[in-house]
Amino acid sequence: MNQKKLLIIGFVWPEPNSSAAGGRMMQLISLFQKQGFQVIFASPAQDSDFMVDLSEFDVQKESIELNNSSFDSFIKELNPAVVLFDRFMIEEQFGWRVSENCPDALRILDTEDLHCLRLARQKAFKEKREFKVLDLLAEEVAKREIASILRCDLSLMISEYEIELLTTIFKIDAGLLYYLPLLLKREAIPELDKLHSFEERKDFVFIGNFLHEPNWNAVQYLKETIWPIIKKQFPEAVLNIYGAYPSQKVTQLHNVKEGFLIQGRAENANEVVEKARVVLAPLRFGAGIKGKLLEAMQCGTPSVTTSIGNESMQGNLQWNGFVADHPDTFVEQAIQLYKEKEIWLQAQNNGVEIIKNRYLKSLFEVDFSKQIQFLLSNFKQHRLNNFMGELLQHHTLKSTKYMSRWIEEKNKRSVS
C-alpha cells in the first residue's frame, strides 16, 4: 500500500530559529509524520541562510514557480492525500491548481495568525484610535483571507479569540476551524531547579524577528517611552534586544550609555532568554499567540507584556508575570518583577502551569489525528455542507486561473 502523502506549500522555507512561524511549521510536519504521512515541502521562495535542512527531518524539498503550469503536472504526479497551505496568500496562488488537478485532496490552511486582525489593529494604531472589531469588516485583506478560509476544508487556528471573531463577526461555520496552538514536547516543561536562579540572572531582554512589524514597533516603544522611565527609576538597568534580520534603523538604536543594547540575531535564543531575569514585550498591535512569550515560560523567565501580547495565551490561568497597557504601570510592574524575588518565583511557576495545561503536544495530537482521518473519509459530505466555500471555489478558480494563465503567457513572451 502506498504511503499517504502530505504536500505543504510554504510561503517561505521554515526557519525555526528565526521565528515562531518556522517552529510552528516543524511541529505540523511532526504531527503529520506521526500519522504516517510522507511529507513533501514545496515553496516558490528563494533559499535562505537560516532555513532548516528539511532532509534531516525526512522531508522532501521541492522548488516550485508562481504562475507556472509546471506545478499542475508536479501535483498531478505527486497525487497527495492532503495539501497544507502555509498562509492564505499561498492558497490564493495555488489553491485553484490543487482543486483542478487533485480534486479529492484535503485542503488545509494554516493561518499562522489572522492577518486581517493584525493589519486592522495596526491601521487603528497608526490612526491614533482604538481598534474595534467591526474595523475587520472594512479591512481589504479580510475579504481575501475569509474567502481563503471558506475555500479550504479546514483552517488551523492558534488563537481562541480569532476563532471567536471568525464565528461571530464573519459567521464562519465552526466546523471549518480547528484550534491547534503552538505545541511543545513534554521535555519542554522546565525543571526550575536546573535553570539559572533569580540571583544568577540579570538584565531585561526583548526578542523578536524584526521583519515582523509588531516587533519593530515594540522596540521603538521601548526606546522612546518605556525604557527612559525604567532607566530614571532604576539607573543600573540594562536591556538586551535580540532578533533576526535587524535593519540599519534597528541597529542605530544601540546606546551603551542608556543600557539599550541591540544584540542582533541570537545564536541560541533559549540561552539568552534563560540568562535574563525579565522579558519585556510591550506589543501594541498584532494577532495570534506570541512564540517569544511561550519561549520565556520554557526558560523560566517571567515577562511583562500587554493585553495584545498575552491574548489567548493563558486561558483562566495566572500570567507568567504582569500584563499592563499603560506605560507607567508597565514600568512599575517590570521593576517590581525584576527586584522582588517572591513575586518573580510565583510568576515563574505560573508559566510552568500554562505550558502544562495549554501547550503540550500530547493534549492535541490524538484529537488532531482523528479530525484529519474523519475529513479524509467524509470530505465529500463536508464540502456539501460548506456551500459558500464551494461557491467561492467555483468563481475564484475561474478568475484566479485566467489571471495566472495570462501572467504565464506574458512571462513566456518576455523570455522569447
Side-chain angles (χ1 to χ4, degrees):
M1 185 179 168
N2 287 337
Q3 190 179 14
K4 293 175 296 185
K5 292 174 186 170
L6 163 70
L7 172 64
I8 300 174
I9 310 179
F11 183 66
V12 292
W13 301 107
E15 291 187 21
N17 294 327
S18 299
S19 70
R24 158 74 163 189
M25 182 51 71
M26 299 312 293
Q27 293 161 12
L28 292 176
I29 287 170
S30 169
L31 279 179
F32 277 100
Q33 286 177 328
K34 199 162 184 184
Q35 291 183 42
F37 282 89
Q38 176 191 348
V39 180
I40 300 92
F41 194 106
S43 177
Q46 297 290 315
D47 285 8
S48 76
D49 293 339
F50 301 102
M51 61 190 275
V52 76
D53 183 352
L54 289 166
S55 64
E56 288 183 9
F57 295 87
D58 200 24
V59 174
Q60 182 182 326
K61 176 180 180 283
E62 297 286 346
S63 289
I64 53 176
E65 287 186 49
L66 296 170
N67 303 307
N68 195 312
S69 53
S70 59
F71 179 84
D72 301 349
S73 46
F74 161 71
I75 195 169
K76 217 177 253 182
E77 188 180 338
L78 188 67
N79 193 26
V82 180
V83 177
L84 176 74
F85 302 103
D86 168 31
R87 290 166 253 208
F88 79 90
M89 304 83 85
I90 284 293
E91 189 279 334
E92 284 182 326
Q93 287 283 348
F94 293 98
W96 68 270
R97 292 185 185 275
V98 173
S99 183
E100 197 170 74
N101 293 288
C102 289
D104 292 348
L106 198 64
R107 299 186 295 270
I108 300 177
L109 173 65
D110 185 36
T111 58
E112 297 288 353
D113 62 18
L114 210 50
H115 290 61
C116 61
L117 174 61
R118 174 157 43 86
L119 293 172
R121 279 176 168 165
Q122 186 172 331
K123 187 178 178 185
F125 172 79
K126 292 193 170 170
E127 291 174 359
K128 295 183 169 55
R129 61 179 176 82
E130 197 176 324
F131 164 77
K132 297 180 177 63
V133 290
L134 291 178
D135 290 344
L136 290 168
L137 296 174
E139 180 55 53
E140 194 60 34
V141 166
K143 298 175 181 67
R144 296 168 54 199
E145 191 166 21
I146 299 306
S148 182
I149 287 169
L150 284 167
R151 284 192 299 265
C152 288
D153 298 308
L154 195 68
S155 289
L156 306 181
M157 310 296 301
I158 63 172
S159 160
E160 294 145 317
Y161 175 66
E162 292 177 9
I163 291 177
E164 185 188 328
L165 286 179
L166 289 174
T167 53
T168 57
I169 303 296
F170 295 106
K171 314 299 183 195
I172 303 281
D173 182 344
L176 297 175
L177 309 173
Y178 189 85
Y179 175 61
L180 193 69
L182 300 176
L183 302 174
L184 300 175
K185 294 178 181 174
R186 189 158 287 279
E187 48 267 37
I189 301 173
E191 294 180 59
L192 299 180
D193 57 341
K194 293 184 179 173
L195 299 177
H196 286 89
S197 67
F198 175 83
E199 291 79 11
E200 290 169 329
R201 295 169 182 250
K202 64 171 189 168
D203 301 341
F204 294 94
V205 69
F206 172 90
I207 191 161
N209 186 325
F210 287 110
L211 296 180
H212 193 53
E213 184 66 24
N215 289 335
W216 163 232
N217 180 270
V219 170
Q220 288 175 296
Y221 185 39
L222 280 164
K223 175 73 173 181
E224 294 161 11
T225 305
I226 288 174
W227 192 247
I229 311 173
I230 288 180
K231 201 66 179 164
K232 189 177 179 184
Q233 296 182 29
F234 183 16
E236 61 268 39
V238 172
L239 172 60
N240 291 299
I241 292 177
Y242 290 90
Y245 303 106
S247 63
Q248 190 178 355
K249 66 183 179 182
V250 177
T251 55
Q252 282 174 343
L253 300 181
H254 183 81
N255 189 312
V256 175
K257 190 179 173 187
E258 292 174 4
F260 196 92
L261 310 179
I262 305 294
Q263 306 285 13
R265 179 185 286 270
E267 280 188 36
N268 185 324
N270 275 14
E271 199 173 283
V272 300
V273 174
E274 206 243 295
K275 285 179 179 174
R277 193 175 287 179
V278 174
V279 166
L280 299 181
L283 299 158
R284 293 189 285 185
F285 52 84
I289 56 176
K290 313 306 178 292
K292 64 173 71 59
L293 295 174
L294 190 56
E295 179 180 62
M297 295 176 206
Q298 288 175 259
C299 296
T301 312
S303 62
V304 186
T305 188
T306 58
S307 52
I308 295 282
N310 87 321
E311 183 174 274
S312 280
M313 287 199 69
Q314 72 194 80
N316 57 5
L317 300 169
Q318 293 296 306
W319 184 245
N320 172 47
F322 291 112
V323 179
D325 291 317
H326 192 280
D328 290 339
T329 314
F330 192 99
V331 166
E332 180 190 328
Q333 294 183 330
I335 294 173
Q336 186 182 27
L337 194 55
Y338 192 97
K339 291 186 171 183
E340 297 187 27
K341 184 176 179 179
E342 289 308 310
I343 292 173
W344 188 89
L345 288 171
Q346 182 57 56
Q348 193 182 51
N349 279 304
N350 292 347
V352 175
E353 288 306 305
I354 291 171
I355 289 174
K356 281 183 184 174
N357 288 283
R358 289 183 61 82
Y359 294 101
L360 288 186
K361 187 179 175 183
S362 56
L363 298 172
F364 297 92
E365 59 185 346
V366 173
D367 188 74
F368 180 63
S369 177
K370 286 179 182 173
Q371 180 76 6
I372 298 302
Q373 295 314 314
F374 174 80
L375 288 176
L376 284 170
S377 304
N378 299 278
F379 76 92
K380 287 183 179 173
Q381 184 60 48
H382 182 74
R383 286 177 184 171
L384 283 174
N385 295 342
N386 178 22
F387 180 75
M388 289 304 292
E390 290 297 282
L391 185 74
L392 281 168
Q393 190 70 256
H394 174 77
H395 287 288
T396 309
L397 192 144
K398 285 182 166 49
S399 61
T400 318
K401 174 180 177 177
Y402 293 117
M403 172 59 83
S404 185
R405 294 277 191 239
W406 180 79
I407 293 170
E408 187 174 2
E409 284 303 314
K410 191 164 169 275
N411 290 343
K412 281 179 188 171
R413 284 175 197 159
S414 64
V415 168
S416 59

